[in-house]
């Protein structure tokens, strides 16, 4: 419990040093990871059952050669593909947004530095340092958040592509 309190205080101090923009980075990071975990769960738990049902339905059909049967097959593949790709665009968008939110922190931090310079002059380095850290920490946080999501989202996209291709291969034309 003491460890968690210390961890929370460290996070709070980090956010205080980096400015309020870090809350937006944290929110984007949290949503991105929730969606990526959900997609991973879908790919490993839900989709295999769906795939099995589609294959059973296809193999149970008496007609798998006609034009109509091929349209049904394509529709099932399309529906499965839509389910596989659900929320992947949101994940990619959040990965792209994280550095931009961090850059917003850079701009607000630099505005703070310029306000300090305008009111206190350039001789007070200590006051300017607070604004400079507010300018650099959100950029770093946004980039770290994006990098953490980039690797996993790329991996998820590859798994989605492979799962779709395996489904297509499992529904042969007879």
């Amino acid at each position: 419990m003491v460890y968690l309190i210390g961890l929370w205080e460290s996070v709070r101090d980090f956010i205080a040093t980096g400015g309020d923009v870090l809350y937006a980075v944290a929110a984007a990071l949290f949503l991105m990871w929730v969606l990526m975990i959900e997609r991973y769960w879908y790919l490993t738990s839900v989709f295999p059952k769906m795939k099995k049902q589609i294959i059973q339905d296809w193999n149970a059909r008496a007609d798998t050669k006609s034009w109509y049967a091929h349209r049904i097959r394509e529709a099932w593949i399309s529906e499965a593909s839509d389910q596989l790709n659900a929320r992947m665009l949101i994940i990619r968008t959040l990965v792209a947004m994280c550095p931009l939110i961090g850059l917003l922190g850079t701009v607000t931090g630099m505005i703070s530095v310029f306000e300090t310079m305008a009111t206190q002059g350039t001789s007070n380095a200590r006051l300017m340092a607070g604004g400079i850290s507010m300018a650099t920490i959100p950029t770093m946080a946004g980039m770290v958040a994006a990098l953490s999501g980039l690797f996993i989202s790329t991996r998820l996209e590859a798994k989605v592509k492979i799962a779709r291709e395996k489904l297509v291969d499992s529904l042969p034309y007879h």
Side-chain angles (χ1 to χ4, degrees):
M1 185 64 163
V2 175
Y3 174 75
L4 290 177
I5 292 171
L7 183 64
W8 171 250
E9 289 174 356
S10 296
V11 169
R12 190 180 61 211
D13 292 344
F14 181 74
I15 289 176
T17 305
D20 291 338
V21 173
L22 288 180
Y23 287 113
V25 172
L29 179 65
F30 177 76
L31 180 60
M32 178 177 63
W33 274 97
V34 165
L35 292 173
M36 288 189 300
I37 290 168
E38 183 275 335
R39 284 289 84 195
Y40 181 77
W41 172 77
Y42 180 83
L43 282 167
T44 58
S45 298
V46 177
F47 183 72
K49 295 172 189 168
M50 182 181 175
K51 177 183 170 187
K52 184 178 178 183
Q53 184 62 47
I54 291 171
I55 292 169
Q56 285 177 353
D57 291 347
W58 179 252
N59 290 334
R61 290 185 54 83
D63 173 29
T64 58
K65 295 180 183 178
S66 71
W67 178 89
Y68 182 73
H70 288 232
R71 298 299 80 78
I72 290 173
R73 177 184 179 271
E74 288 174 10
W76 289 348
I77 292 170
S78 179
E79 289 172 15
S81 184
D82 286 347
Q83 292 294 320
L84 284 167
N85 286 308
R87 290 172 285 293
M88 290 303 295
L89 180 60
I90 296 170
I91 292 169
R92 285 192 305 268
T93 302
L94 287 168
V95 167
M97 279 179 51
C98 283
L100 297 176
I101 296 169
L103 286 174
L104 177 63
T106 299
V107 171
T108 58
M110 291 310 295
I111 288 171
S112 173
V113 170
F114 293 137
E115 285 177 357
T116 301
M117 289 172 62
T119 59
Q120 304 292 322
T122 58
S123 63
N124 194 340
R126 184 172 293 215
L127 287 174
M128 288 178 19
I132 291 170
S133 87
M134 279 181 76
T136 55
I137 288 175
T139 303
M140 182 226 19
M143 289 186 176
V144 168
L147 285 173
S148 74
L150 183 63
F151 175 74
I152 301 298
S153 68
T154 302
R155 189 78 186 117
L156 281 172
E157 287 177 7
K159 284 183 172 280
V160 163
K161 184 178 177 183
I162 290 168
R164 185 190 182 285
E165 289 172 0
K166 285 184 177 180
L167 175 64
V168 170
D169 291 344
S170 299
L171 302 176
Y173 294 116
H174 288 113

